[in-house]
Amino acid sequence: VQLVESGGGLVQAGGSLRLSCTTSGFTFVDYGLAWFRQAPGKEREGVACISSASDMTYYAESVKGRFTISSDFAKNTLYLQMNSLKPEDTAVYYCAVGLFGGNYYLQSYEYDYWGQGTQVTVHS
């Protein structure tokens, strides 16, 4: 299983970015995909996730209404549309996949594979 993130960069506060995560190596039908982030000196936190079986999405309170997670299963790609970005959104963003099935939330232990991360920097 491989996950490769892209789309990070430098953006002004209030701006937008769209992150992509291209996945490969999946043979399972029921899985979850998520975005996590980690800022310098802080613990990794869950941002948003989607469960393939139910199409359920779940967001951290800090990004609700600003970020949207989506997936194109035909292209094996996960997206994170980030709008109204704030300096506190600055972090390395990681995508992750969980393979046990069911509905997923934003606990790290639910996920089995991780990408290498992409840097998002929001300046004021």
Side-chain angles (χ1 to χ4, degrees):
V1 175
Q2 289 187 320
L3 302 94
V4 180
E5 303 95 336
S6 61
L10 178 65
V11 64
Q12 194 169 10
S16 298
L17 281 175
R18 188 174 84 154
L19 304 183
S20 299
C21 174
T22 302
T23 69
S24 62
F26 282 50
T27 58
F28 298 91
V29 174
D30 191 2
Y31 54 89
L33 292 164
W35 289 98
F36 284 75
R37 67 186 181 186
Q38 188 166 21
K42 294 187 177 181
E43 293 187 355
R44 183 170 56 191
E45 64 170 344
V47 175
C49 63
I50 185 167
S51 304
S52 68
S54 63
D55 211 26
M56 182 188 81
T57 58
Y58 188 82
Y59 294 90
E61 286 295 325
S62 59
V63 305
K64 276 184 181 178
R66 300 189 297 122
F67 290 12
T68 303
I69 189 171
S70 62
S71 60
D72 184 335
F73 293 118
K75 295 182 179 179
N76 294 324
T77 302
L78 177 70
Y79 302 101
L80 184 68
Q81 178 66 45
M82 305 186 293
N83 298 328
S84 302
L85 282 160
K86 304 175 181 180
E88 51 263 44
D89 295 318
T90 294
V92 177
Y93 283 71
Y94 301 88
C95 64
V97 61
L99 302 177
F100 78 89
N103 286 329
Y104 286 79
Y105 298 92
L106 293 174
Q107 300 298 320
S108 296
Y109 63 78
E110 298 178 280
Y111 299 91
D112 304 293
Y113 296 93
W114 298 77
Q116 83 291 347
T118 186
Q119 177 70 47
V120 172
T121 303
V122 184
H123 63 90
S124 56

